[in-house]
């Protein structure tokens, strides 16, 4: 297989370099803060607006820190937004209309807002309305793979407003040096071979739900396939019925493969039991299923090592299907149509 012929924009290098993004994001955001912010009182809530790849930093923050964070993915702003909110609008390209709508709503209501982008309209409008804006530097990578920079920039912005007084940024920078994506490539390649020709279903505990979503999104966008994601224990109260005695007139068993991302070390013991029972059910149905063990010294490492494994799986699946992993024609085409009057 001629990888360089299929991987026209060298996504493989972007994945290999992923941990370097943490430092880039932190540095880019060091000086970005609101002028008139009252540093003594924390905001009532933090609202992180963004779509697709640019929504992921907010989703991760929701799980990692006990802050009152809402990850918002639509037009305007959620009901929780008010004068006591800190609103952070993230759009990697700077041209996503839903995020621009949230930004303009915040500016229109004179709410405390900050933006994170590489440029585009979001940078332009931030300049026009004097909104503090983090400009992420080139090279431009696919937004879903710019997660490291965007997440690091988001953390740094919170730190700039005294909203993070713990070592998470240092831990992230340390991880930037120690995490080696090359260590996970073979495993990703192996998983890609197993799920080739099938619909992958990603299951994990609730704490890892954003990681499961990233696997799903990445399989959608990079490998250009349908994929599903759900989490324990909720899935055992509905989705399990769809898998058990699968309706063969809908889809045959051999067209599905279930990957269970499992953190044996820190999951609730009952969740681990649920995972075992579910795996047995699925196996009895003759559906392919396996555990993917989540590893890492802390939650941050567990998140990012598993996310990178998901990137590799999608990348190597794209190689199996011989599709360019970077291009996302349907999203581009959709955005073009949406712009038409
Ligand atoms: C592309 C990707 C998409 C975009 C989304 C929003 O890699 O992941 O989900 O992130 O269409 O665009 P941006 O991120 O430019 O605001």
């Amino acid at each position: 297989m001629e990888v360089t012929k299929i991987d026209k924009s060298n996504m493989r290098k972007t994945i290999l370099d992923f941990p370097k993004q943490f430092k880039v994001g932190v540095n880019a955001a060091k000086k970005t803060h609101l002028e008139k912010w009252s540093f003594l009182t924390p905001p009532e809530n933090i609202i992180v607006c963004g779509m697709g790849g640019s929504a992921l930093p907010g989703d991760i923050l929701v799980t990692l820190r006990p802050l009152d964070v809402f990850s918002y993915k639509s037009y305007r702003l959620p009901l929780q937004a008010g004068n006591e909110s800190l609103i952070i609008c993230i759009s990697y390209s700077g041209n996503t209309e839903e995020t621009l709508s949230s930004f303009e709503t915040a500016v229109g209501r004179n709410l405390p807002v900050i933006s994170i982008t590489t440029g585009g309209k979001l940078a332009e409008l931030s300049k026009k309305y004097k909104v503090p804006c983090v400009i992420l530097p080139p090279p431009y990578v696919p937004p879903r793979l710019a997660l490291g920079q965007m997440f690091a920039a988001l953390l740094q912005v919170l730190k700039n407003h005294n909203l993070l007084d713990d070592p998470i940024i240092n831990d992230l920078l340390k991880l930037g040096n120690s995490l080696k994506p090359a260590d996970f490539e073979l495993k990703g390649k192996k998983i890609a071979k197993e799920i080739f020709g099938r619909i992958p279903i990603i299951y994990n505990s609730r704490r890892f739900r954003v990681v499961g979503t990233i696997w799903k999104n990445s399989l959608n966008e990079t490998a250009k396939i349908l994929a599903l994601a759900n989490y324990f224990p909720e899935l055992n109260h509905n989705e399990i019925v769809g898998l058990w005695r699968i309706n063969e007139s809908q889809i045959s068993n051999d067209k599905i493969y279930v990957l269970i991302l499992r953190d044996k070390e820190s999951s609730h013991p009952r969740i681990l039991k649920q995972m075992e029972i579910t795996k047995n059910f699925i196996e009895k149905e003759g559906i392919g299923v396996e555990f993917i063990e989540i590893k890492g010294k802390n939650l941050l490492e567990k998140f990012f090592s598993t996310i990178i494994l998901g990137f590799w799986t999608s990348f190597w699946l794209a190689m199996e299907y011989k599709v360019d992993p970077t291009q996302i024609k349907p999203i581009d085409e959709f955005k073009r149509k949406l712009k038409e009057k």
Side-chain angles (χ1 to χ4, degrees), residues 51-54 90-94 96 142-144 221 328 331 335:
M51 303 299 299
S54 295
I90 310 180
S91 168
Y92 190 69
S93 64
T96 298
R144 59 192 179 280
E221 294 179 68
I328 38 161
I331 300 180
K335 286 184 179 175

Side-chain angles (χ1 to χ4, degrees), residues 36 46 109 116 167 188 218 238 245 328 333:
K36 282 181 261 159
I46 298 162
R109 286 172 55 190
I116 301 177
S218 183
N238 35 62
R245 309 281 135 78
I328 38 161
E333 180 64 23

Side-chain angles (χ1 to χ4, degrees), residues 50-56 90-99 117-118 140-146 150 217 221 326 328 331-332 335:
M51 303 299 299
S54 295
L56 301 173
I90 310 180
S91 168
Y92 190 69
S93 64
N95 293 321
T96 298
E97 74 166 48
E98 295 92 327
T99 316
T117 184
T118 55
Y140 193 89
V141 296
R144 59 192 179 280
L145 286 169
M150 294 193 282
N217 293 355
E221 294 179 68
T326 301
I328 38 161
I331 300 180
D332 297 339
K335 286 184 179 175

Side-chain angles (χ1 to χ4, degrees), residues 133-296:
C133 175
V134 177
I135 301 282
L136 299 167
Y140 193 89
V141 296
R144 59 192 179 280
L145 286 169
L147 170 63
Q149 306 176 32
M150 294 193 282
F151 180 64
L154 174 61
L155 291 186
Q156 185 61 46
V157 164
L158 296 183
K159 188 165 185 210
N160 297 345
H161 296 84
N162 293 338
L163 297 170
L164 274 186
D165 56 359
D166 60 17
I168 185 165
I169 293 187
N170 282 341
D171 289 349
L172 194 70
L173 292 174
K174 268 192 223 150
L175 190 63
N177 290 325
S178 62
L179 196 62
K180 300 282 175 255
D183 295 348
F184 312 102
E185 186 170 10
L186 266 184
K187 174 87 179 154
K189 211 168 171 175
K190 190 173 153 273
I191 302 171
K193 283 199 189 307
E194 277 154 3
I195 62 179
F196 178 74
R198 296 160 165 188
I199 298 179
I201 303 183
I202 319 299
Y203 288 159
N204 37 260
S205 67
R206 185 176 178 276
R207 177 179 287 183
F208 285 92
R209 66 196 185 281
V210 54
V211 178
T213 304
I214 294 174
W215 272 63
K216 184 200 90 70
N217 293 355
S218 183
L219 288 161
N220 295 147
E221 294 179 68
T222 299
K224 282 90 175 131
I225 56 157
L226 274 181
L228 299 170
N230 207 336
Y231 59 88
F232 292 95
E234 176 62 14
L235 72 90
N236 275 330
H237 297 270
N238 35 62
E239 194 160 309
I240 188 71
V241 186
L243 271 181
W244 195 0
R245 309 281 135 78
I246 212 142
N247 184 339
E248 291 265 341
S249 59
Q250 187 196 20
I251 191 166
S252 60
N253 285 359
D254 61 346
K255 285 287 168 206
I256 297 174
Y257 199 93
V258 182
L259 298 167
I260 303 178
L261 312 178
R262 176 170 70 166
D263 176 12
K264 262 187 175 160
E265 212 179 64
S266 53
S267 293
H268 191 295
R270 305 297 292 170
I271 292 290
L272 292 175
K273 182 164 185 188
Q274 290 211 16
M275 287 179 170
E276 289 285 354
I277 296 173
T278 308
K279 181 167 180 276
N280 289 340
F281 273 172
I282 296 172
E283 256 162 3
K284 274 207 194 101
E285 290 304 307
I287 299 171
V289 53
E290 72 176 278
F291 285 131
I292 308 286
E293 306 298 351
I294 296 176
K295 294 195 182 110

Side-chain angles (χ1 to χ4, degrees), residues 7 9-19 21 140-142 145-146 181 311-312 326:
D7 182 19
S9 314
N10 206 353
M11 179 183 280
R12 185 162 178 268
K13 183 170 184 316
T14 307
I15 302 175
L16 286 169
D17 287 345
F18 183 83
Q21 289 188 24
Y140 193 89
V141 296
L145 286 169
F311 288 162
W312 281 132
T326 301

